[in-house]
Amino acid sequence: MTINSEHSAIKYRIPFTTYDLGWVVLCIGMAIGAGIIYMPIQAGVKGIWVFVASIGLSYPAVYWLQDLYLKTLTQTQSCDSYAEIITQYLGKNWGGLLGIAYFLMLLMGILNYAMSLVNDSATYLHSYHITEGFLSKTIWYPFILLAVMVLIANQGEKWLFRIAGPMIFFKVAVIVFLGIVMVPFWSFNNISAFPPVLSFLRDVLLTLPFTLFSILFVQILNPMNIAYRKVEADPVIASLRAIRATRIAYIVLVVSVLFFAFSFSFAITKEEAASALAQNISALALASQIMPGNLINILSVTLNIFAILTAFFSIYLGFKEAIVGLAVNMISRISGNEDINRGLLSKIIAVAIVVFLWIWVRFDFSVMLLMQIAGPVFGLVACLIPFYLVKKVSALENLRAGKNYYVAFYGMLLCISPFLKFVE
């Protein structure tokens, strides 16, 4: 099966259906989450020149790495999980090992969104005097909130289209609207002087994870690939539909996110950004405190909540699939039986996820720091592993191209970026 031809979609004349639109929307929902709502904070702290350079490195890499990553997933005979796909390429041992790396990539994301969901929602309830204290400090609130989220996400992608779809359309519209209404608050005093070269290079690398996550939806690509293969009899058509959905989502994200991020960066001072960093809150939570006007506050709050909700829904699909893949890999090794009750396994894993995330949010770990730590994991799974697969596996030789080396280079930058925190 060869799906590398850019003319294949024209050749097959594939119609664009509401199912395709649903996946485009979920891809956008995955990307517009912690990345976009925390990126202006990092840009405010580090300065606009660092921000621009980081975007210049990241955005072409995001397009190429997601395209390469997805194509390496679509060319197997069968696909039930990431670990099982890698097993078909490299064997059960590599499937288990790289399945763990894939799990860690998704783990970083869902930890971010679980923390943001609990903390930001509690902050808003307190700010608007609905609660006297912060419910995030209680034992029951995080558990109930996370249990409801997991229950909804477990209903499947078509149900999520109906639940998350309107939220995602709304938040794209709000992003553009907020970008416009923040223009009067722009101040060129917020454009800092160009920093010393060594500090500039260090801060660009430290900012890479934030610009990466502002439009990245690689976490949902394998669940999307698996879903398309289930609804489309021809695997070539399934692959082309998945690739088309990612490209439409990417274009929408670049236009809307760049406009919003730059507008927001011009509207907040370095001191305000540093304050948000210290409070471990997002840029939109900060905006609700410092910008006048009830409409702006309401839209900022709604966007923040919808961004975290829809990103949590999207990444949950991949996170659960990763755990199922690892569980199947381990159970089949122990029992020697590939016939596993996936329905029961799925329910057990869902309960375990709720308990695990509930325990995690009790630690109140810095979301900003976690995003930087996640850089090497994403660099490995989204950049270096696909590059290695294309170089190593003869069945993927149709994907070999010069741009793959840039993907590998960007992956190495992500791997070293968090270590620069020690010399910051």
Side-chain angles (χ1 to χ4, degrees), residues 158-173:
K158 290 186 179 180
W159 215 69
L160 288 184
F161 292 166
R162 294 193 291 268
I163 297 294
M167 292 186 189
I168 295 167
F169 278 116
F170 176 82
K171 69 184 185 180
V172 171

Side-chain angles (χ1 to χ4, degrees), residues 133-419:
F134 290 94
L135 293 181
S136 55
K137 305 301 181 184
T138 66
I139 294 177
W140 59 271
Y141 177 76
F143 183 83
I144 294 175
L145 181 61
L146 293 168
V148 170
M149 292 290 291
V150 168
L151 179 64
I152 294 172
N154 264 309
Q155 305 307 308
E157 73 270 7
K158 290 186 179 180
W159 215 69
L160 288 184
F161 292 166
R162 294 193 291 268
I163 297 294
M167 292 186 189
I168 295 167
F169 278 116
F170 176 82
K171 69 184 185 180
V172 171
V174 171
I175 282 173
V176 175
F177 178 75
L178 284 179
I180 294 171
V181 299
M182 282 190 289
V183 171
F185 296 95
W186 286 8
S187 172
F188 291 104
N189 292 329
N190 295 330
I191 301 177
S192 57
F194 196 88
V197 174
L198 290 179
S199 298
F200 171 75
L201 294 175
R202 178 202 65 201
D203 290 343
V204 167
L205 293 179
L206 284 170
T207 306
L208 285 182
F210 297 94
T211 49
L212 169 74
F213 295 138
S214 68
I215 61 168
L216 187 76
F217 49 90
V218 69
Q219 306 96 317
I220 201 175
L221 294 186
N222 197 48
M224 181 175 68
N225 170 49
I226 293 170
Y228 268 117
R229 293 282 285 272
K230 289 179 179 178
V231 301
E232 184 64 64
D234 188 336
V236 175
I237 302 297
S239 302
L240 289 170
R241 290 177 69 184
I243 291 168
R244 180 179 59 185
T246 63
R247 293 180 177 177
I248 294 172
Y250 177 86
I251 292 170
V252 173
L253 283 165
V254 167
V255 174
S256 56
V257 169
L258 276 182
F259 175 65
F260 169 80
F262 275 105
S263 186
F264 207 104
S265 298
F266 289 142
I268 63 173
T269 66
K270 185 172 183 177
E271 291 73 22
E272 289 165 347
S275 172
L277 179 63
Q279 294 178 65
N280 198 21
I281 60 174
S282 68
L284 296 175
L286 172 65
S288 70
Q289 297 176 5
I290 64 174
M291 295 185 69
N294 289 332
L295 177 61
I296 300 301
N297 289 349
I298 292 170
L299 289 178
S300 296
V301 170
T302 308
L303 175 59
N304 193 16
I305 293 173
F306 282 9
I308 295 171
L309 281 173
T310 54
F312 183 94
F313 288 145
S314 298
I315 200 170
Y316 178 84
L317 295 176
F319 183 66
K320 184 182 175 185
E321 171 261 315
I323 299 177
V324 169
L326 285 176
V328 169
N329 187 284
M330 289 186 289
I331 293 171
S332 64
R333 288 170 181 271
I334 296 170
S335 66
N337 182 14
E338 300 288 345
D339 187 19
I340 297 168
N341 187 336
R342 289 178 179 263
L344 177 61
L345 182 64
S346 175
K347 291 181 176 63
I348 294 172
I349 288 173
V351 173
I353 289 173
V354 173
V355 175
F356 170 72
L357 293 178
W358 173 59
I359 294 172
W360 160 255
V361 298
R362 303 293 298 165
F363 290 100
D364 198 26
F365 194 82
S366 169
V367 173
M368 296 281 284
L369 181 58
L370 187 61
M371 289 180 69
Q372 290 181 319
I373 294 173
V377 180
F378 279 81
L380 175 65
V381 177
C383 301
L384 298 179
I385 290 176
F387 176 80
Y388 174 77
L389 285 176
V390 171
K391 293 283 287 184
K392 177 77 173 178
V393 180
S394 58
L396 298 174
E397 62 182 355
N398 63 299
L399 300 180
R400 292 170 187 169
K403 61 188 178 184
N404 297 352
Y405 289 93
Y406 184 78
V407 171
F409 168 71
Y410 185 79
M412 289 187 286
L413 292 182
L414 287 175
C415 288
I416 65 174
S417 63
F419 297 103

Side-chain angles (χ1 to χ4, degrees), residues 17-40:
T17 67
T18 54
Y19 188 75
D20 298 304
L21 178 62
W23 277 110
V24 170
V25 169
L26 279 187
C27 286
I28 294 171
M30 176 72 259
I32 302 180
I36 188 174
I37 61 179
Y38 285 98
M39 183 171 66

Side-chain angles (χ1 to χ4, degrees), residues 47-98:
I48 195 69
W49 303 113
V50 168
F51 182 45
V52 169
S54 183
I55 285 175
L57 284 171
S58 297
Y59 279 21
V62 168
Y63 179 83
W64 287 329
L65 74 86
Q66 291 187 152
D67 195 59
L68 180 65
Y69 177 84
L70 179 58
K71 286 177 179 177
T72 60
L73 299 176
T74 58
Q75 298 193 195
T76 54
Q77 293 300 314
S78 61
C79 56
D80 291 308
S81 69
Y82 180 83
E84 290 166 279
I85 288 173
I86 298 298
T87 296
Q88 293 175 64
Y89 285 134
L90 301 175
K92 189 170 288 188
N93 290 335
W94 276 107
L97 182 62
L98 298 186

